[in-house]
Amino acid sequence: MSATNTHLSQYQKYNQRVSRNRATSEVAWVRYTLIAATLLFLSLFLFVPLATVFTEAFRKGAGTYFAALSDPDALSAIKLTLIAAVIAVPLNLVFGVAAAWAIAKFEFKGKSLLITLIDLPFAVSPVIAGLIYVLIFGMQGWFGEWLTDHDFKIIFAIPGIVLATIFVTFPFVARELIPLMQAQGKEEEEAALVLGASGWQMFWRVTLPNIKWGLLYGVILCNARAMGEFGAVSVVSGHIRGLTNTMPLHVEILYNEYNYAAAFAVASLLALLALLTLALKTYVEWQSAKDAIEIEQE
Amino acid sequence: MSIEIKNISKGFGNFSALKDVSLNVPTGELVALLGPSGCGKTTLLRIIAGLETPDNGSIHFHGEDATDRAVRERQVGFVFQHYALFRHMTVFENVAFGLRVRPKHTRPSEAEIKRRVHELLNLVQLDWLADRYPPQLSGGQRQRIALARALAVEPKVLLLDEPFGALDAKVRKDLRRWLRRLHDELHITSVFVTHDQEEALEVADTIVVMNQGRIEQIGSPQQVYDHPATPFVYQFLGNVNAFEGHVDQGVAKIAGLQVPLNYQHEARSGSISAFVRPYDIQVRKAYDDNGALAAKLTYAHSIGPIVRLELKREDNHEFLDAELSKADFDNLNIKEGDSVYLKLKNVRVFFGNNFVI
């Protein structure tokens, strides 16, 4: 409220964030050993591999690098990856919000079953996930005959890849939103209803603004996984070059053909995507934290 | 607008929150639903608002059945215990919300919305906070904004769920007086839920005392305090000492004392529960021939002009609370460990041994 109050709370926040309380922390050598171990681990398993991707990609010069990326098969793999993500991410955004909404705001029978089902893709190996679709929609599968009769191809075609991607990335948005929405409770929504808002108005004006950062965070993770998925997509794709190969699959094929430079070139695109995702994720986290603090301190 | 609640029941799983509750709230009255936590008062309030659906019974607004009416069509204002302000909107937008979500043909113009919101913010004396966000406000300010937001839609009924429950004692006192004055100005039918008897006694026109899903008594603050209908009401509205005893032809025998009953002079006999307020226990140093209860002073502490005594009965070693003025206490000249003799005034007797606490 008053100026002094604000300064005090700002100071306290600063204090909490920056200073270390000597009474609750370990002695110096323990701290430095732990930090050193962490850094060593990170370099060995993260920074070095990441650097390798880019050095290998450019080993034969920029010309080879860009040639590998502009190869028609590479372009079609990029295109297919984007198509799968563009379909899977919005669908999982809608499913995720709907599921999180139902779970966080309502009590109903079978709720814990629904939560388990949402987690299923995390629990099941992606290869199994892909196999499920082959068993259902494949030539010898349950609907195989019917699909062939109607000239409708799912397995070894784009629909199968999209389906597998949706399955694998299903939990991301919902998992991100459920704890957030549960913590926020439903009083604000109730207040909106009492004030005369329709369900739709309540969602757009009250619910969505409250979950926007969490939602964006979930979408970013969902997108990263959708573009990077290998196992499930590998099973349903059939590896038809220029037709059903996504970027990760394309990398594998090139690698198996000893075409390392091209393999790493495409891999570097995926690595870039990962870096971009991390940057976006950090920005979102920082932005939502900033929102919270600004509102408190302004 | 009047509210009639007819035979409402509501259960949550095995727990029965409301059991056949009926209540009339006349137009323009300020009614308090008073009871301990878990007595069903908040559930009843939420049923009136339409936020819960009753299992049985009906709600009537101004004589019209509103049991199945949608929340948004009930024209009620609801103030939540934890305010439930929209945290991502400014104070101004919070108050304007109810006007902005109206369908186009009834929605006021932007200028009109602005005027109305500022008028309400002035009413709650917080116009200077219009551009702030809820987390930047103090508890008392948030509560007043929540009230302004509820009033913005010109509700026919105002419902308040423990409106001052989360505030500190001083702010609470100011706010409830302010609410009373506001109600006197606006004359809007209001129902508020509280577990604080002092709050209910000070603010409400009518108090509805509830316990375990039922209504124990409905009456003016004076009525429920002076003429409690049940032992529960008596015990809930202030501190009491409870005794068991029995009545023989209009004379009660309590803790070995003969206590004449000055009301309820039925020629009834039977076992009773008797209650005495702490300030109706007289403490003496000397024994009185007319009979007195022997006790030991175990603890005395003074709060301003009042001294509270903790006394241990000599006969069954139960504890009693007594209250007297500082002056009387000083005159008595007693200290902890001393023996004293007690007389009971204004004993309230209920037939049957239904101790409730």
Side-chain angles (χ1 to χ4, degrees):
Chain A
M1 263 184 301
S2 69
T4 31
N5 243 340
T6 316
H7 285 305
L8 188 69
S9 70
Q10 256 164 354
Y11 171 73
Q12 281 169 337
K13 279 218 174 68
Y14 174 83
N15 229 1
Q16 277 164 9
R17 249 183 288 161
V18 176
S19 84
R20 214 175 15 241
N21 183 346
R22 244 179 288 160
T24 58
S25 62
E26 293 295 329
V27 289
W29 70 267
V30 176
R31 291 204 309 267
Y32 290 121
T33 312
L34 287 173
I35 292 170
T38 310
L39 284 178
L40 185 74
F41 185 87
L42 277 177
S43 340
L44 262 179
F45 292 97
L46 220 65
F47 300 143
V48 172
L50 193 63
T52 312
V53 171
F54 288 98
T55 42
E56 287 294 327
F58 284 99
R59 185 172 288 262
K60 290 184 182 167
T64 324
Y65 179 83
F66 288 109
L69 291 188
S70 53
D71 177 72
D73 288 349
L75 285 180
S76 99
I78 293 171
K79 197 175 129 198
L80 182 55
T81 299
L82 290 178
I83 288 175
V86 161
I87 299 174
V89 173
L91 282 177
N92 276 341
L93 177 124
V94 175
F95 296 154
V97 171
W101 173 278
I103 287 167
K105 313 272 177 183
F106 298 95
E107 291 302 324
F108 53 91
K109 281 200 182 110
K111 184 162 153 176
S112 52
L113 185 71
L114 181 60
I115 297 175
T116 314
L117 279 178
I118 288 173
D119 280 341
L120 193 65
F122 277 164
V124 171
S125 154
V127 175
I128 308 293
L131 211 55
I132 294 167
Y133 287 109
V134 173
L135 289 176
I136 296 175
F137 299 115
M139 287 290 245
Q140 270 75 45
W142 292 359
F143 302 112
E145 231 168 275
W146 188 88
L147 288 168
T148 324
D149 289 349
H150 291 78
D151 202 21
F152 202 75
K153 224 162 147 43
I154 291 181
I155 300 304
F156 306 147
I158 295 175
I161 291 169
V162 171
L163 271 180
T165 309
I166 289 177
F167 180 84
V168 171
T169 57
F170 185 75
F172 286 95
V173 174
R175 267 287 140 200
E176 195 59 47
L177 291 183
I178 290 169
L180 180 68
M181 287 171 105
Q182 271 171 343
Q184 286 176 348
K186 50 185 187 183
E187 271 203 343
E188 286 186 44
E189 273 94 0
E190 285 179 346
L193 285 183
V194 174
L195 287 167
S198 65
W200 201 238
Q201 285 172 318
M202 173 186 76
F203 179 76
W204 285 105
R205 287 165 184 258
V206 176
T207 309
L208 201 57
N210 276 338
I211 61 169
K212 66 179 176 199
W213 293 117
L215 185 60
L216 198 55
Y217 189 95
V219 165
I220 290 169
L221 290 182
C222 181
N223 181 57
R225 183 65 193 271
M227 292 189 170
E229 176 54 26
F230 179 84
V233 171
S234 172
V235 176
V236 297
S237 121
H239 305 270
I240 308 166
R241 273 200 189 202
L243 275 180
T244 62
N245 260 354
T246 60
M247 282 163 76
L249 300 182
H250 192 60
V251 172
E252 195 212 14
I253 289 180
L254 291 172
Y255 189 84
N256 286 342
E257 291 170 347
Y258 306 106
N259 194 350
Y260 295 136
F264 277 107
V266 181
S268 74
L269 271 191
L270 283 170
L272 271 181
L273 173 78
L275 290 175
L276 185 72
T277 304
L278 277 180
L280 266 176
K281 189 174 98 68
T282 313
Y283 173 77
V284 166
E285 273 172 359
W286 174 73
Q287 195 67 32
S288 65
K290 202 183 94 183
D291 263 18
I293 290 173
E294 254 178 22
I295 280 180
E296 253 167 66
Q297 292 191 339
E298 209 170 82
Chain B
M1 188 164 69
S2 64
I3 309 168
E4 295 99 58
I5 293 154
K6 289 183 185 162
N7 309 96
I8 290 276
S9 299
K10 172 75 181 174
F12 297 101
N14 290 329
F15 175 69
S16 172
L18 291 173
K19 299 164 193 161
D20 197 23
V21 168
S22 297
L23 173 68
N24 281 330
V25 180
T27 307
E29 252 195 39
L30 179 56
V31 173
L33 301 179
L34 174 67
S37 51
C39 74
K41 55 195 193 299
T42 295
T43 305
L44 183 59
L45 195 76
R46 288 172 62 86
I47 285 176
I48 298 174
L51 293 170
E52 303 278 357
T53 319
D55 297 337
N56 281 307
S58 58
I59 301 266
H60 301 257
F61 285 161
H62 215 82
E64 268 177 61
D65 190 344
T67 317
D68 297 321
R69 200 178 288 173
V71 179
R72 52 190 295 231
E73 281 152 20
R74 292 196 184 203
Q75 291 185 291
V76 297
F78 200 101
V79 176
F80 292 82
Q81 183 179 2
H82 299 289
Y83 327 121
L85 293 175
F86 306 125
R87 67 197 100 179
H88 62 284
M89 292 181 203
T90 60
V91 163
F92 180 94
E93 286 303 323
N94 262 282
V95 179
F97 185 89
L99 302 172
R100 290 203 196 283
V101 296
R102 282 193 185 169
K104 237 189 183 110
H105 58 277
T106 56
R107 195 186 309 155
S109 68
E110 193 56 33
E112 172 67 9
I113 289 177
K114 214 167 189 172
R115 192 190 63 75
R116 291 263 290 276
V117 171
H118 282 297
E119 191 181 284
L120 281 159
L121 287 176
N122 278 322
L123 181 74
V124 299
Q125 300 151 0
L126 290 176
D127 199 32
W128 54 287
L129 290 176
D131 296 327
R132 302 279 186 97
Y133 285 89
Q136 299 168 303
L137 311 180
S138 72
Q141 290 168 341
R142 283 182 218 182
Q143 192 57 281
R144 281 190 281 167
I145 297 301
L147 195 58
R149 181 179 71 175
L151 291 172
V153 293
E154 295 176 329
K156 301 280 193 296
V157 176
L158 189 60
L159 306 170
L160 306 105
D161 183 11
E162 300 261 1
F164 314 124
L167 303 170
D168 60 62
K170 175 82 175 62
V171 180
R172 202 147 140 178
K173 223 163 194 165
D174 292 345
L175 264 188
R176 68 189 188 216
R177 285 199 186 125
W178 177 80
L179 175 71
R180 179 69 238 185
R181 279 203 307 275
L182 192 76
H183 181 265
D184 291 342
E185 263 173 53
L186 301 175
H187 281 298
I188 174 170
T189 311
S190 309
V191 181
F192 78 101
V193 157
T194 179
H195 61 260
D196 180 345
Q197 358 90 354
E198 208 185 307
E199 196 167 288
L201 290 169
E202 187 175 319
V203 176
D205 296 319
T206 301
I207 295 180
V208 178
V209 186
M210 294 183 65
N211 182 37
Q212 297 186 338
R214 293 182 204 282
I215 291 178
E216 295 268 337
Q217 188 174 6
I218 303 173
S220 68
Q222 198 76 39
Q223 276 168 343
V224 292
Y225 194 84
D226 292 343
H227 305 288
T230 65
F232 175 82
V233 176
Y234 195 83
Q235 294 176 71
F236 196 73
L237 292 174
N239 298 323
V240 289
N241 294 294
F243 299 88
E244 282 176 69
H246 64 269
V247 169
D248 202 6
Q249 302 298 323
V251 180
K253 210 152 188 232
I254 300 158
L257 304 179
Q258 301 264 343
V259 180
L261 296 182
N262 48 2
Y263 49 90
Q264 262 193 354
H265 275 289
E266 308 163 64
R268 251 175 99 175
S269 304
S271 53
I272 50 160
S273 305
F275 300 96
V276 182
R277 300 262 184 229
Y279 49 77
D280 284 330
I281 290 186
Q282 291 176 319
V283 183
R284 310 243 168 100
K285 260 175 103 168
Y287 183 72
D288 185 320
D289 283 341
N290 295 327
L293 188 56
K296 210 169 218 108
L297 178 64
T298 53
Y299 184 59
H301 64 118
S302 62
I303 304 165
I306 288 171
V307 182
R308 294 204 171 134
L309 308 180
E310 187 186 271
L311 304 150
K312 195 178 191 180
R313 279 168 66 174
E314 297 280 14
D315 53 350
N316 62 5
H317 303 291
E318 276 178 19
F319 285 98
L320 298 174
D321 293 319
E323 255 179 44
L324 45 141
S325 71
K326 187 93 174 64
D328 287 349
F329 181 72
D330 290 343
N331 281 338
L332 268 173
N333 190 24
I334 50 172
K335 59 181 189 306
E336 283 161 21
D338 284 358
S339 288
V340 291
Y341 297 93
L342 311 178
K343 290 226 156 215
L344 311 178
K345 278 195 310 182
N346 298 327
V347 181
R348 185 74 170 90
V349 164
F350 295 95
F351 279 90
N353 282 325
N354 39 357
F355 278 81
V356 183
I357 283 178

